[in-house]
C-alpha cells in the first residue's frame, strides 16, 4: 500500500510536468479549438456511420440488415456528439450549422469554419473506411467499383435516390427529413420546454437520427446533411468510382447539398412558431407559476 | 478573438431586437399555446410513425421489418413528447386526454381543444406522409390504392384487424392495450412511486409504446388511440382509398374510437386502486420514515 | 383564462373531496399495500412478456422474431418495476424474493406474501393473454392445443427445454442464468459501487433481462424465475393443454422451480464475496478518500 | 405491523452480527480488492458475450442473428462495468488498461494485476459457457470441434478473420477498431467536455461497443481487446479444438494481442491532441465564462 501511495505521489509531480507540457501545446485560439473538435466529431460520426453501411453491403445479410445501419448511424451521431461536446457543439452537419446561424445561435463568421471542419472530417472518414473495408469491398464487387447495378458500392459512401423517385420528390423528401431533424433538435435544446437531462442529449439526438432512418430513409437514403454527403461523394469520384457518382439519379448530388439547408431552417422555424416563441416571458413567470400551483396537472403526463 | 467578441456583442443587441419581435408574436392565451404545441407534437409523432409503416410496406423487406415499426413508433412518441413537452403535456392521444379528464388531471373544458389539436396534427401528418411516399406507394401498388389484398396500402395510415379477429375480440384487444398504456403512464407519472428522472420520461413512454407494439400488436395493429386512427382513416377515404376504409374488417373503424377511451380509464383506475390510493399520507410520513430506517431493504431491489 | 382559473379552483376543492375518498379506501396495512403492488407489477410484466411470445409464435415471422421476445421481456420487466416501484420493490420473481430473504434484505415473514402475489399476478396474466390471443392461437394451431410438435403453443406460457438438453444440463443452465441475474442485480443496487441514477434502475434491470434472453436463452427458454414459470404452466394444464405440460421435457416443470432459487443465492453470494464485502468501512473512509485524491484515476473509465 | 417491526429489530441486531462477519472477511488490501472486482466484471462481460455467440451459432437463426451478438456484447460490457464499477474501473480489456497506464490514469505497477485478473475472468467465462452450451455445441457440430468449415465452433470463443482478409489489413482493422473505442472512452470520461450523467456511463460505453460491432465487426470479429481474445483461444486449444486455433487465419492469434494496444494509445492520443489538451485552463476560466455569457449558443445544440 505504501509503495502504491509513493508511486502515486511521483505520479502527481509527473502530472504537474504534464500540465506544463499541456500548457505549451494548449491552443488559446477559440476558432482553432472549435475547428479541431468539429473535425474530430464529424470524423467519428462518419467513420462509424459509413462503416456500418460497408459492413451491411459487403456482408450480404450475414453481418446486419438495413436496421443495423439505422441503429449504427444513430449511435454514431451520439458518439460524435460526445466527442465534440461542449467545445464545438458537435453539429457535424452543414444544415445544422446554417440553421443555427439563421436563428442567431452561431455567428455567421463561424459558419465557414464549421463547414470546412465537417467536410474535412467527413472526407477523412471516407478514406479511412475505404481503407478498412478495401479488401471486403473488392472481394464483394470483384474489383469493379460501380455506382448502380446489383453489386453497386458507391452507396456505401454517398446517398442515391430509389429508382422510382423523381428529382422533385427527392428534393421534398430531403427538405422534410431535415426539417423533422431540426424541429426536434430545437425542441430538445429548448430549456423552457422539457429537455433531456444534461449529458443525455447526445443519445437522444442519436435516437432521433435512428428514427429518421427508420421512418424517412427508403426514398433517398436520408442524407439530411450536405457535408455528410458531398465529401464522401467527392472521395468516391477520386478513389475509382469516377464521375458517375455525380451523374447518377438524374444528377442527384446537388439535392442533399441544397434541400437540407432549406429544410433545416423550415423545421426550426416551425418549432419556434408553434412552441418556443410562446413560452411565458420572465415578467409573466410569476403569474404562470401561480397557475402552475392551481392546475399543475395539465402539464404532467 | 476580439472580432468574435465584438460580433457577439452586436448579436446581443440583435437578440434584444429579436426579443421585441418575439414579444409581438407572443401568444398570451394559454389555450392557443397548448393547442399549437399539442398539434405540433401529434404531427411529429404521427409523421414519424406513419412514415415507418410506409417505409416497411413499400420497401418489401429491404428497409425494415415489423420490429422497425415498433421501434419507430416508440421513438416517434418520445420525440413528440419532447416537442409538446411542458406546454401541452403532449398527450397526442384522445384516450389519454379523456382519462386525464376523468381523473382530474385535465379540466374537461380543455378536452375539445386537445381532441381537435390531435385530429388536426394527425390529419396533417397523414397528408404529409402520403406526399412524401406518394411515388413509393404508387410504385409499390401500381397506382391501385386498396384496403385489403396482397398490395393493400390503407394499413399504412389507419389500423385494420387481422382476418381471424372477431369484432368483440378486437374490441377487447383495444381496451386491454390502452389499459396497459394508461396503467403504466400513471405509474411513470406517480411522483410517490419510482418515476424516471426528469427529462427521461419521453423516452420511457416511448419504450412503453414500443413494448405494446411488440406484445399486443398483431391482433389489430395497436391503435390504442382514437385520434391517431380516425384522422388518417378519413384522410385515406378522401385521398383515393374510398369508403372501403370504413367498411373493412366488419366496419372496424369505430372500435379504435371507442375501445381506447374505455381501456384508458380502466387501466388508470386499476393502477390507482392497486397502488396510488394506498401511498402513505403526509401525516403518516413520519411513522413510515421510521419504519424505513428499520426495514429499508424491503424497498430496494 | 379567468374561467380556467375558476374551474381549476373548483377542481381543487374537488380534489380535497377526492382526498377524503382516498383516505377512506386507503390501506394502512403495509402487507396489503405490498401485496397489491407486487401482484400488479407481476401482472404487467407477465402480460407484456407472454403477449410478445404469443405474437411471435402465432404471427409466424410476420410480427417479430426471437429477438422481439428478448426485447419485449426486458421492457416488460422495466415497466413492471416502475409499477411496483418503491412500494414492493417489484421483485416479480420468487428467486429474487428468496435471495433477498437469504441476504437479509427482506424479512422471511414477507416471503409467502411475495410468492403468493407473484403467483396470482402471473396466473391472471396467463389468463388475460390467452383471452386476448384466443382467436390468434386457435387460428394458428387449428384448435389443437399441443405442448410439442410443429404447431405447439404451450411454449407461449411456460418454458420447455430444447430437444437436445438433458435434465442435469438444464438444471445447471437455470442455476447459471439466475445466478447471473442476481449477481448483476446486487451490483446495480450496491450504493457503494456505481449504481444507475435514481429512476433509471428499472430500465437497466430490463436491459439485464433482455441480455440474459439473448445470451442464455436458447437452452431452456430462460425462465430464471419460479413464479413466472409455474403459474402459467398450471394455467395451461387447466385451460386445455392438459397434464402433458408437466410431463414434457422429462418432467421439466420442477427445474424452473428449484434451480433459480439455488442460482439466485449463488449469484448474489458471489457478488458479495468478490465485491460488496470488501468496500471500505465508514471508519476507513477518510483514509480512502485521501487515497482517492492521490490516485483518483484508477477508478475512472 | 408490530410483529413486523419486532422482527425487523431482530434483523438489525443480526445485521450488526453480519457487519462483524463482514469485517472479518473484509480485504483491506487495495490490490486484492481491485483484482477481485476486475476478475468478476470481466467474467460477467465475457460470459454474457460468449453466451450470445454460442446461442446464435448453435441456434442456426432461430435464436438471434448477428445483430443479437452486437447488442448482447454491448450490454455485456455495460453489466460488467456496473459490477466492477468504482472498485477497479472495470477495464475488462488489456488494451484499455495499457492505454490508461500510458496516459497516467493507472500506475504501471497495477497493470500486471489488471491483465491477470482479465485473463482469469475471461478464461473462467470460456469454461463456463462451454459447460452451459456443451450439449448445444455438440448437438450442432455432431461432436466434431472444428475451427473452420461450415460447422466451425471455435469462433464462439475467440475471433478469426474473414477469408478475404490479409494479415496486414486485419492488423490495421484491429488498430482502428480499438482506436475508435479508446477515442470515445476518453471523450466519455472527459469531465470538461460533455460526459454522460453519473451512473449512465456503463450503458453508454456498452452502446459504444455495440456500435463498433455493427460498424467495424465483419472483417475480423472486433476483438479490440487482447485479454478477451487470448484466454478463450487458449481454452479452446485445451478443450478439444487443438492447436489449429493458433494456426487458423495465417496465425491470426497474435494480431488481437498486439494491434489493440497500439490502437488504444493511438485513439486516446488523437482525442487528447484534438480536444482534451485545449480545454481552457482554470486560470483562463473567468475570461471564458464571460464569453460564455456573450455567445453561449455556440455550445448548445
Amino acid at each position: 500500500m505504501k509503495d502504491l501511495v509513493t508511486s502515486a505521489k511521483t505520479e502527481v509531480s509527473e502530472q504537474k510536468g504534464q500540465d506544463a507540457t499541456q500548457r505549451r501545446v494548449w491552443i488559446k485560439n477559440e476558432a482553432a479549438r472549435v475547428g479541431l473538435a468539429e473535425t474530430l466529431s464529424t470524423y467519428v460520426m462518419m467513420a462509424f456511420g459509413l462503416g456500418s453501411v460497408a459492413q451491411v453491403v459487403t456482408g450480404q445479410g450475414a453481418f446486419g440488415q438495413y436496421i443495423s445501419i439505422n441503429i449504427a448511424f444513430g449511435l454514431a451521431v451520439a458518439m460524435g456528439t460526445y466527442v465534440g461536446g461542449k467545445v464545438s457543439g458537435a453539429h457535424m452537419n452543414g444544415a445544422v450549422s446554417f440553421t443555427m446561424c439563421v436563428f442567431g445561435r452561431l455567428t455567421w463568421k463561424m459558419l465557414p469554419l464549421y463547414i470546412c471542419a465537417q467536410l474535412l472530417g467527413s472526407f477523412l472518414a471516407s478514406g479511412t473506411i475505404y481503407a478498412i473495408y478495401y479488401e471486403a469491398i473488392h472481394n464483394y464487387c470483384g474489383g469493379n467499383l460501380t455506382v448502380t447495378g446489383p453489386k453497386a458500392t458507391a452507396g456505401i459512401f454517398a446517398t442515391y435516390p430509389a429508382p422510382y423517385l423523381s428529382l422533385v420528390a427527392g428534393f421534398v423528401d430531403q427538405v422534410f427529413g431535415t426539417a423533422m431533424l431540426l424541429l426536434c433538435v430545437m425542441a430538445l435544446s429548448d430549456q423552457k420546454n422539457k429537455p433531456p437531462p444534461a449529458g443525455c442529449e447526445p443519445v437522444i439526438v442519436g435516437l432521433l437520427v435512428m428514427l429518421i432512418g427508420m421512418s424517412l430513409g427508403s426514398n433517398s437514403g436520408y442524407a439530411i446533411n450536405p457535408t455528410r454527403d458531398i465529401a464522401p461523394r467527392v472521395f468516391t469520384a477520386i478513389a475509382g468510382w469516377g464521375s458517375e457518382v455525380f451523374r447518377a439519379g438524374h444528377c442527384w448530388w446537388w439535392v442533399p447539398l441544397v434541400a437540407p439547408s432549406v429544410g433545416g431552417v423550415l423545421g426550426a422555424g416551425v418549432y419556434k412558431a408553434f412552441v418556443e416563441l410562446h413560452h411565458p416571458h420572465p415578467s409573466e413567470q410569476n403569474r404562470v407559476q401561480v397557475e402552475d400551483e392551481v392546475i399543475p396537472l395539465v402539464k404532467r403526463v
Side-chain angles (χ1 to χ4, degrees), chain A:
Chain A
M1 210 62 192
K2 213 180 164 183
D3 303 278
L4 223 148
V5 172
T6 319
S7 80
K9 271 179 189 165
T10 323
E11 198 192 321
V12 166
S13 47
E14 266 164 21
Q15 208 166 328
K16 274 181 191 166
Q18 201 183 12
D19 270 21
T21 318
Q22 188 173 334
R23 207 162 178 92
R24 267 198 300 281
V25 300
W26 179 51
I27 297 176
K28 289 196 183 184
N29 188 310
E30 171 93 0
R33 287 176 57 221
V34 167
L36 282 173
E38 187 69 14
T39 304
L40 189 62
S41 66
T42 308
Y43 177 85
V44 165
M45 184 268 276
M46 287 301 287
F48 278 132
L50 299 184
S52 74
V53 192
Q55 175 161 321
V56 169
V57 169
T58 64
Q60 302 180 62
F63 292 101
Q65 289 84 39
Y66 186 76
I67 199 175
S68 320
I69 297 173
N70 299 151
I71 298 174
F73 243 113
L75 293 176
V77 166
M79 293 304 154
T81 309
Y82 279 119
V83 168
K86 275 189 196 153
V87 183
S88 74
H91 299 174
M92 308 177 290
N93 182 338
V96 169
S97 301
F98 177 74
T99 306
M100 294 298 151
C101 285
V102 168
F103 290 97
R105 288 200 182 184
L106 182 72
T107 54
W108 286 99
K109 202 169 278 185
M110 294 292 269
L111 186 58
L113 175 68
Y114 272 82
I115 301 291
C116 290
Q118 290 159 8
L119 290 173
L120 182 61
S122 186
F123 192 87
L124 291 175
S126 309
T128 309
I129 290 303
Y130 187 44
I132 294 293
Y133 280 100
Y134 184 85
E135 294 182 359
I137 289 171
H138 283 255
N139 178 65
Y140 169 74
C141 68
N144 190 16
L145 303 174
T146 54
V147 179
T148 50
K151 293 278 184 186
T153 45
I156 293 174
F157 297 92
T159 64
Y160 295 90
Y164 60 73
L165 203 73
S166 70
L167 213 54
V168 171
F171 191 91
V172 173
D173 179 73
Q174 283 302 296
V175 167
F176 183 65
T178 321
M180 292 300 278
L181 173 70
L182 264 295
L183 194 166
C184 292
V185 164
M186 292 301 273
L188 291 169
S189 65
D190 180 355
Q191 298 301 317
K192 288 187 180 168
N193 203 335
K194 194 186 190 71
C200 286
E201 307 94 336
V203 173
I204 310 291
V205 174
L207 291 177
L208 171 59
V209 171
M210 180 176 143
L211 172 57
I212 292 174
M214 287 181 165
S215 173
L216 302 166
S218 59
N219 275 331
S220 64
Y222 70 116
I224 56 167
N225 183 340
T227 43
R228 168 254 179 280
D229 198 73
I230 192 68
R233 196 180 301 273
V234 169
F235 173 81
T236 47
I238 298 167
W241 281 266
S243 61
E244 179 62 20
V245 300
F246 290 101
R247 283 197 304 270
H250 309 286
C251 299
W252 171 255
W253 70 272
W254 66 270
V255 176
L257 274 188
V258 179
S261 306
V262 176
V265 174
L266 182 70
V270 165
Y271 179 75
K272 273 186 161 309
F274 273 71
V275 178
E276 199 176 303
L277 283 177
H278 315 306
H279 287 314
H281 269 258
S283 55
E284 311 278 343
Q285 207 72 42
N286 285 344
R287 194 175 61 79
V288 171
Q289 279 182 343
V290 171
E291 275 170 37
D292 259 348
E293 279 164 31
V294 182
I295 43 160
L297 299 158
V298 180
K299 276 119 202 166
R300 275 207 274 158
V301 175

